[in-house]
Amino acid sequence: MKNIKDTIQKKNGHLKEKVLQFGEGNFLRAFVDWMIDEANDEGHFDGSVVLVQPIERGMVDMINDQNGMYTLIMRGLENGEKTEKVKAITSVSRGINPFEDYEGYMAMAESEDLSVIVSNTTEAGISYVEGDKLEDPLPKAFPAKICKFLYHRFKHFHGDKERGILLLPVELIDNNGGELERIVKQYASEWNLEAEFTTWLDEACSFANTLVDRIVTGYPRDEVAAYSEKFGYEDNLMVTSEVFNLWVIEADKKYAEIFPIQKTSANVIWTDDARPYKKRKVRILNGAHTSTVLSAYLSGFDFVGQFIEDADYNAYLKALIFDEIIPTIDLPDDELKAFADAVFERFGNPFIKHRLLDISLNSVSKFTARCLPSLLDYKAEKGVLPVRMTYALAALLKFYEVKEEEEGFFGVRENEEKYPVKDDRKNLEFFEKIWQEKDITVLVEKTLANKDLWYQDLTEVEGLVEAVTEHLRRILTLGTKETLKSL
């Protein structure tokens, strides 16, 4: 069978290499490079992507073997109907391994066509590493690499402000653009680079904060043979994702014309403030997950798609999102409701198998970050506690009824099946000890007072101890689902 490069005609032979992308993994190829491909097809961008391999071992050779081409398969629900969209992506011109082709990599810093740098170097990538020097061909820290790369560009173009760069880090940390900029400037200071370079960074470049959202399920190993037969070619870089996509970019609107991906069907938002959109994602999407999966798992469900099809859990989740979470977010109601509707279709995506036990990892910190703010804001605004969110907190306490065994800490489901609980050891030791308490009210009171768990004393929230205690008593008597139904 032929390879994709011998079957699909590449459309980007004439395109200028406008984007440098640090990272060649599944997410960027199914998200950023797809958006660029769409913009090229519709005549908005006319630019290609050069992929940079960020670590010594990577995928650049495989990418170049396929002439930068690969197939994206987007699957999910749209308006309640199963859908599958297939596209051969041709926006990638080539890949560079800077550990083997340093000169080719640095030549991109001298490119008149380059205008955008995208990165996904994992959450740990945007960090400072002591000891990196300007003289190092490839500094260890990603921000140090960027500082050296941009400084070379600054020198090559003699500080020309027309040769600045839009930097779009998509690493999943708060203030990702701001953090990258801060550490780049830290290296510039350590390396005693001229003040004019820092001025050029400020005036010619933009380190944008971004928020990305798309589930990318990667290489469909079990379905490759069927897809190869269907497409009529082999593709070693085939990648699958959900249909939903969202990219929020906090940057000057002028860059929307330089990088006009928002003109396509891609869901791209250019904004002066990405924080409300992050709040929307964390509270609605992530918060709904965290507020439901522990109860659902205890009730006997194993996957997200199972509980979303259950009438009781579906009704609970709708009330949780629309009545208790959305009122705490300062965005237009129609935007919030459209996002929430998309969440239900994403949860019900039959092509994605989300194991509840996998999602349960570190649920204490997740609840603190994703759910507790909604609970507290609701109480502050309405003067009463949200019923379903307090139930979710009680279900968390029940899920963490654990005992330590040789292999780790385990809880017991309502069907008597044991399950592992993964969290910080300190947290698990606390829960094991607190569940030896005979008085449920005291158990709840001591747990909510533990600042190591919640970073505050939750017993100070009027009525919270009583509400969680009542939910927990009912869970222990009736079970998680029967208690949920009674809400």
Side-chain angles (χ1 to χ4, degrees):
M1 185 175 289
K2 290 184 177 181
N3 186 275
I4 183 174
K5 69 178 180 181
D6 303 315
T7 308
I8 303 296
Q9 183 177 1
K10 195 161 188 178
K11 297 169 289 190
N12 70 354
H14 67 285
L15 301 177
K16 296 178 180 179
E17 294 180 333
K18 296 182 179 181
V19 180
L20 189 68
Q21 179 174 295
F22 286 84
E24 76 282 42
N26 289 325
F27 179 78
L28 289 178
R29 291 189 294 110
F31 186 77
V32 175
D33 302 335
W34 162 72
M35 290 186 181
I36 293 171
D37 200 71
E38 292 282 282
N40 286 336
D41 282 355
E42 297 180 22
H44 302 303
F45 187 53
D46 197 37
S48 66
V49 187
V50 176
L51 306 186
V52 177
Q53 187 173 294
I55 57 177
E56 288 194 56
R57 298 182 64 181
M59 300 172 60
V60 158
D61 288 343
M62 191 183 299
I63 287 166
N64 287 333
D65 284 345
Q66 293 194 178
N67 199 20
M69 296 189 292
Y70 57 93
T71 313
L72 173 62
I73 304 159
M74 297 167 282
R75 309 182 292 190
L77 295 177
E78 285 191 325
N79 300 317
E81 299 293 326
K82 283 187 181 180
T83 184
E84 178 179 272
K85 301 177 181 180
V86 177
K87 187 171 189 187
I89 305 298
T90 66
S91 57
V92 175
S93 62
R94 59 193 171 103
I96 296 175
N97 181 351
F99 299 91
E100 297 179 357
D101 184 14
Y102 177 76
E103 292 180 358
Y105 159 67
M106 288 305 290
M108 286 299 299
E110 302 175 4
S111 168
E112 294 186 357
D113 299 323
L114 183 66
S115 59
V116 179
I117 291 177
V118 178
S119 70
N120 187 22
T121 56
T122 77
E123 295 90 309
I126 300 182
S127 59
Y128 171 81
V129 174
E130 188 174 359
D132 275 335
K133 297 180 175 60
L134 181 64
E135 295 76 26
D136 298 336
L138 284 172
K140 293 179 181 178
F142 172 64
K145 289 184 178 74
I146 289 294
C147 185
K148 181 180 174 71
F149 185 91
L150 292 178
Y151 184 64
H152 185 90
R153 184 172 182 83
F154 166 78
K155 297 291 283 186
H156 179 78
F157 288 110
H158 308 290
D160 184 352
K161 290 183 173 58
E162 296 300 312
R163 300 301 177 188
I165 297 290
L166 169 64
L167 293 103
L168 297 171
V170 303
E171 289 82 355
L172 299 177
I173 63 170
D174 285 339
N175 192 37
N176 46 19
E179 275 298 290
L180 178 59
E181 180 179 16
R182 180 185 67 78
I183 303 173
V184 165
K185 288 180 176 178
Q186 182 177 349
Y187 282 114
S189 176
E190 282 188 13
W191 296 344
N192 296 314
L193 305 183
E194 51 264 54
E196 289 80 6
F197 172 59
T198 302
T199 300
W200 182 79
L201 291 177
D202 289 334
E203 297 181 357
C205 299
S206 178
F207 293 78
N209 290 321
T210 72
L211 170 69
V212 295
D213 192 2
R214 169 172 261 186
I215 297 170
V216 175
T217 38
Y219 186 67
R221 192 170 306 278
D222 296 336
E223 303 167 275
V224 166
Y227 276 122
S228 296
E229 186 68 27
K230 179 179 178 180
F231 301 152
Y233 58 76
E234 291 182 343
D235 179 1
N236 294 319
L237 296 169
M238 196 180 301
V239 60
T240 59
S241 77
E242 65 176 335
V243 177
F244 180 89
N245 65 93
L246 172 66
W247 196 357
V248 179
I249 304 174
E250 184 182 287
D252 192 301
K253 296 295 197 307
K254 70 179 182 182
Y255 289 106
E257 294 305 313
I258 295 172
F259 192 48
I261 51 175
Q262 78 286 351
K263 293 182 179 181
T264 71
S265 60
N267 188 11
V268 180
I269 299 171
W270 294 86
T271 180
D272 297 327
D273 187 359
R275 289 173 297 180
Y277 297 97
K278 180 181 179 182
K279 186 177 180 180
R280 180 182 73 176
K281 175 182 181 289
V282 169
R283 294 200 181 188
I284 295 179
L285 175 66
N286 304 128
H289 253 160
T290 302
S291 300
T292 311
V293 296
L294 304 185
S295 168
Y297 184 76
L298 291 171
S299 296
F301 297 104
D302 293 306
F303 297 94
V304 171
Q306 293 173 334
F307 78 65
I308 203 69
E309 293 178 356
D310 180 83
D312 297 317
Y313 272 95
N314 193 287
Y316 160 83
L317 196 57
K318 283 182 178 175
L320 175 83
I321 292 175
F322 287 96
D323 298 342
E324 297 184 1
I325 297 177
I326 282 180
T328 70
I329 305 173
D330 187 21
L331 278 173
D333 278 350
D334 56 343
E335 288 186 24
L336 293 170
K337 290 175 181 176
F339 186 82
D341 289 339
V343 163
F344 275 87
E345 290 203 322
R346 297 174 75 186
F347 282 7
N349 189 336
F351 299 100
I352 297 176
K353 302 297 184 185
H354 266 172
R355 290 176 54 85
L356 301 185
L357 206 53
D358 293 339
I359 300 171
S360 74
L361 179 69
N362 297 323
S363 282
V364 172
S365 61
K366 286 177 180 175
F367 192 93
T368 301
R370 301 170 172 183
C371 308
L372 195 53
S374 295
L375 187 156
L376 297 176
D377 284 355
Y378 187 96
K379 177 68 164 66
E381 294 175 19
K382 306 289 186 181
V384 295
L385 287 163
V387 175
R388 291 155 197 88
M389 195 65 78
T390 51
Y391 163 82
L393 181 52
L396 183 150
L397 268 57
K398 179 65 179 79
F399 184 86
Y400 276 76
E401 183 181 0
V402 296
K403 291 184 179 179
E404 185 175 14
E405 300 182 10
E406 188 174 333
E407 299 85 5
F409 290 83
F410 290 84
V412 180
R413 296 170 90 176
E414 291 168 10
N415 63 2
E416 304 299 324
E417 177 187 347
K418 286 201 310 183
Y419 59 89
V421 180
K422 305 291 186 181
D423 209 310
D424 289 344
R425 181 174 182 83
K426 183 179 179 181
N427 293 347
L428 294 170
E429 288 176 344
F430 169 81
F431 278 107
E432 182 180 35
K433 183 177 180 180
I434 202 66
W435 269 102
Q436 297 171 21
E437 176 62 58
K438 302 299 183 184
D439 188 324
I440 295 299
T441 301
V442 175
L443 184 155
V444 172
E445 191 170 48
K446 288 183 177 180
T447 303
L448 297 190
N450 188 341
K451 294 182 181 180
D452 290 336
L453 298 178
W454 323 109
Y455 302 106
Q456 58 185 299
D457 183 351
L458 292 180
T459 64
E460 296 176 358
V461 180
E462 183 184 4
L464 186 59
V465 170
E466 293 79 5
V468 174
T469 300
E470 179 59 23
H471 288 311
L472 189 55
R473 286 189 194 280
R474 293 175 67 82
I475 287 172
L476 293 172
T477 304
L478 303 173
T480 48
K481 189 174 183 185
E482 288 302 313
T483 303
L484 175 142
K485 289 169 64 175
S486 72
L487 299 181

